[in-house]
């Protein structure tokens, strides 16, 4: 295999997806169930077909490209990641893993090797949870975890339900259960290649990371409701200021995360909305997101417990009210040791430097790992930057990941 040819093919594919953004020149904004995703999926589908894969879209909008193996009844090896993005993110988060998967299929085709198992290259839909405050919609649907209540309950910031967004996108929400796989019979392994999104590999000068486990995550949307009044005439002790309450709680989040300790424990408030949002009106309502992660679930629970207790105390004292909507709750996951050992051997055979490492980012693999043997390969991120427009990964490093996955499949599944 000529590494330069592989890197060039990956670059060509990666560049095809750059235009599908709602924020051209300001990074990639490819939110789920939008025209940008639809156009991206059309091109992806074309690239899969040209690599010799049989393509289908499931009821959740996930895309699969399948290559049959020599033994028709064996379960598939699924190689996947997501095609949606955050707001003004980079072109590599998610897409790199799908493009590397397609490249592995091309490498198999070019070398004439037929694996015993089928392979499926999967593009997952709405991993980031950017529009509905959630996460892992496509893989949750694949695992049979999405029902009609979920589709009706979750709404975006314009009040559009997930159900209605699916309809606008051309999917039938009533068929969501069709996206569920009989994974025990149909899927032998889930392998995800992803950019690291942090500085560890670059700092350690390693070509690849082999992921041992992924942090658990909980996401909430908190609404604090006060009373809109005149900012000049209402004395400080007679106002019910939703912002004064919310900001007091938010400002403690960093302290709670530090206090909880534990591996990979972090807490973030990344979204805040104020109403009526005017200079001379006391805020009536503040809505904010909470994203808490840790390798140790008890640390997440402790932070969320502090959040609830403080909301009760602060709002109670001021006469405000609050509501906490749970959007996502996933336990931390360990990845499969057997697959890790295969990948480790592959790195050794190919002379690629690597290190074992945990993931602080959430991934589709977090959703699959409890039930399907799952492995992740990390590729270095320049300066550790991600979820921003400057996100960058060298195509030659992505070629290393493609080479590793190809060799691992050929050595173990031929
Ligand atoms: C996804 O990238 C996440 O970790 O939030
Ligand atoms: Mn991301
Ligand atoms: Mn990602």
């Amino acid at each position: 295999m000529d590494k330069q040819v592989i890197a060039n093919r990956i670059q060509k594919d990666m560049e095809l997806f750059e235009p599908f953004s709602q924020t051209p020149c300001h990074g990639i904004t490819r939110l789920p169930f939008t025209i940008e995703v639809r156009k991206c999926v059309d091109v992806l589908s074309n690239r899969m077909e040209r690599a010799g894969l049989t393509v289908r879209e499931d009821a959740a909008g996930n895309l699969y490209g399948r290559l049959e193996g020599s033994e028709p009844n064996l379960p598939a090896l699924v190689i996947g990641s997501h095609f949606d993005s955050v707001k003004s993110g980079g072109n590599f988060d998610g897409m790199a893993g799908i493009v590397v998967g397609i490249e592995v299929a091309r490498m198999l085709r070019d070398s004439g090797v037929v694996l015993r198992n089928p392979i499926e290259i999967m593009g997952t839909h709405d991993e980031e949870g950017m529009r509905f405050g959630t996460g892992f919609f496509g893989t949750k649907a694949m695992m049979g975890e999405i029902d009609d209540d979920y589709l009706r309950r979750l709404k975006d910031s314009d009040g559009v339900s997930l159900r209605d967004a699916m309809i606008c996108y051309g999917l039938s929400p009533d068929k969501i259960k069709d996206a569920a796989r009989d994974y025990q019979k149909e899927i032998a392994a889930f392998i995800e290649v992803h950019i690291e999104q942090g500085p560890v590999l670059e700092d350690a000068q390693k070509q690849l990371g082999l992921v041992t486990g992924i942090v658990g995550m909980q996401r909430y949307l908190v609404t604090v409701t006060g009373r809109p009044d005149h900012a000049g005439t209402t004395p400080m002790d007679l106002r019910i200021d939703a912002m004064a309450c919310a900001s007091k709680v938010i400002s403690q989040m960093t302290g709670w995360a530090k206090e909880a300790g534990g591996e990979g424990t972090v807490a973030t408030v990344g979204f805040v909305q104020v109403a009526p949002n005017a200079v001379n009106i006391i805020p009536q309502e503040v809505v904010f997101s909470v994203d808490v992660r840790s390798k140790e679930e008890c640390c997440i629970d402790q932070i969320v417990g502090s959040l609830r207790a403080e909301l009760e105390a602060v709002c109670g004292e001021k006469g405000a009210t609050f509501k906490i909507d749970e959007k996502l709750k996933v336990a931390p996951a360990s990845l499969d040791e057997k697959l890790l050992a295969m990948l480790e051997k592959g790195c050794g055979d190919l002379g690629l430097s690597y290190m074992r490492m945990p993931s602080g980012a959430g991934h589709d693999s977090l959703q699959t790992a409890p039930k399907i043997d799952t492995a992740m390969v990390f590729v270095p991120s320049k300066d550790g930057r991600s979820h921003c427009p400057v996100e960058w990964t060298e195509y030659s490093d992505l070629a290393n990941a493609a080479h590793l996955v190809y060799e691992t499949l050929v050595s173990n599944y031929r």
Side-chain angles (χ1 to χ4, degrees):
M1 294 283 163
D2 182 333
K3 197 178 143 189
Q4 193 55 50
V5 170
I6 296 170
N8 289 347
R9 291 200 298 212
I10 288 173
Q11 175 172 2
K12 191 172 152 222
D13 276 3
M14 288 300 295
E15 288 174 353
L16 285 175
F17 299 103
E18 265 174 18
F20 306 128
S21 169
Q22 231 176 299
T23 51
C25 306
H26 299 283
I28 306 292
T29 304
R30 194 182 299 132
L31 303 189
F33 310 101
T34 60
I35 187 72
E36 290 77 25
V37 160
R38 176 51 77 203
K39 287 181 183 165
C40 170
V41 165
D42 284 348
V43 173
L44 205 45
S45 171
N46 176 271
R47 298 312 291 162
M48 286 180 173
E49 274 167 8
R50 290 187 62 167
L53 305 174
T54 304
V55 180
R56 75 177 174 93
E57 184 179 83
D58 76 6
N62 295 312
L63 196 70
Y64 290 97
R66 183 173 163 107
L67 185 69
E68 295 302 335
S70 59
E71 295 186 29
N73 295 324
L74 287 184
L77 303 160
V78 178
I79 306 170
S81 198
H82 58 100
F83 47 68
D84 60 300
S85 80
V86 293
K87 287 181 189 163
S88 288
N91 193 38
F92 292 83
D93 179 1
M95 281 313 304
I98 312 174
V99 165
V100 166
I102 295 173
E103 179 55 27
V104 170
R106 279 192 292 251
M107 290 163 81
L108 286 166
R109 180 198 61 192
D110 292 354
S111 61
V113 173
V114 179
L115 301 176
R116 276 177 284 124
N117 300 62
I119 63 165
E120 292 184 13
I121 312 306
M122 182 179 185
T124 70
H125 195 185
D126 194 7
E127 184 266 358
E128 298 282 7
M130 191 71 353
R131 180 165 170 192
F132 298 95
T134 51
F136 317 117
F137 172 74
T139 25
K140 272 181 182 292
M142 171 177 112
M143 305 304 287
E145 293 174 20
I146 302 286
D147 58 17
D148 192 52
D149 174 60
Y150 187 94
L151 300 181
R152 288 180 192 274
R153 186 168 57 82
L154 289 157
K155 299 205 167 77
D156 70 10
S157 53
D158 293 324
V160 177
S161 69
L162 225 166
R163 193 172 202 285
D164 286 343
M166 285 180 78
I167 294 169
C168 290
Y169 185 71
L171 294 168
S172 307
D174 294 339
K175 294 190 176 152
I176 189 66
K177 286 287 175 196
D178 293 354
R181 303 289 300 260
D182 187 356
Y183 47 83
Q184 274 168 344
K185 286 200 192 125
E186 293 176 15
I187 303 180
F190 186 83
I191 300 169
E192 182 170 10
V193 173
H194 202 284
I195 57 167
E196 181 204 342
Q197 308 185 277
V200 175
L201 289 174
E202 207 175 58
D203 189 56
Q205 299 192 332
K206 300 290 184 197
Q207 288 167 299
L208 295 171
L210 302 182
V211 180
T212 48
I214 308 175
V215 290
M217 298 169 67
Q218 293 184 24
R219 286 180 176 164
Y220 299 89
L221 194 69
V222 179
T223 306
V224 175
T225 306
R227 203 181 61 198
D229 279 308
H230 197 292
T233 58
T234 318
M236 294 312 282
D237 55 353
L238 293 181
R239 46 177 80 193
I240 307 176
D241 183 337
M243 179 55 93
C245 297
S247 58
K248 188 163 181 207
V249 173
I250 292 169
S251 67
Q252 295 181 74
M253 203 72 74
T254 301
W256 293 331
K258 286 187 178 159
E259 226 172 80
E263 191 188 347
T265 305
V266 289
T268 307
V269 173
F271 170 90
V272 182
Q273 210 168 43
V274 189
N277 209 10
V279 68
N280 56 357
I281 307 173
I282 296 167
Q284 176 182 15
E285 184 180 89
V286 175
V287 180
F288 61 95
S289 66
V290 175
D291 175 304
V292 187
R293 307 174 186 211
S294 179
K295 270 294 276 170
E296 290 159 55
E297 203 167 17
C298 60
C299 297
I300 304 179
D301 291 339
Q302 184 181 319
I303 296 167
V304 174
S306 301
L307 169 73
R308 282 184 198 280
E310 191 61 7
L311 278 166
E312 256 162 44
V314 171
C315 292
E317 187 191 323
K318 304 271 184 205
T321 56
F322 70 93
K323 181 171 82 149
I324 304 182
D325 273 348
E326 181 186 302
K327 299 285 184 177
L328 178 75
K329 193 170 192 173
V330 199
S334 294
L335 301 196
D336 185 62
E337 263 303 325
K338 184 175 63 1
L339 289 171
L340 253 171
M342 287 179 190
L343 290 165
E344 224 159 21
K345 172 151 190 327
C347 284
D349 291 348
L350 294 172
L352 294 168
S353 61
Y354 73 93
M355 63 189 283
R356 284 181 169 228
M357 63 191 296
S359 171
H363 297 290
D364 288 306
S365 292
L366 178 62
Q367 196 59 45
T368 60
K371 293 184 175 149
I372 298 172
D373 291 351
T374 296
M376 280 197 85
V377 177
F378 274 174
V379 187
S381 292
K382 185 171 186 310
D383 300 327
R385 303 291 309 279
S386 183
H387 279 191
C388 52
V390 299
E391 176 183 279
W392 180 260
T393 287
E394 295 297 337
Y395 297 112
S396 56
D397 289 338
L398 291 174
N400 286 335
H403 210 174
L404 173 63
V405 174
Y406 169 83
E407 280 298 328
T408 303
L409 296 185
V410 171
S411 304
N412 296 282
Y413 296 94
R414 179 150 54 168

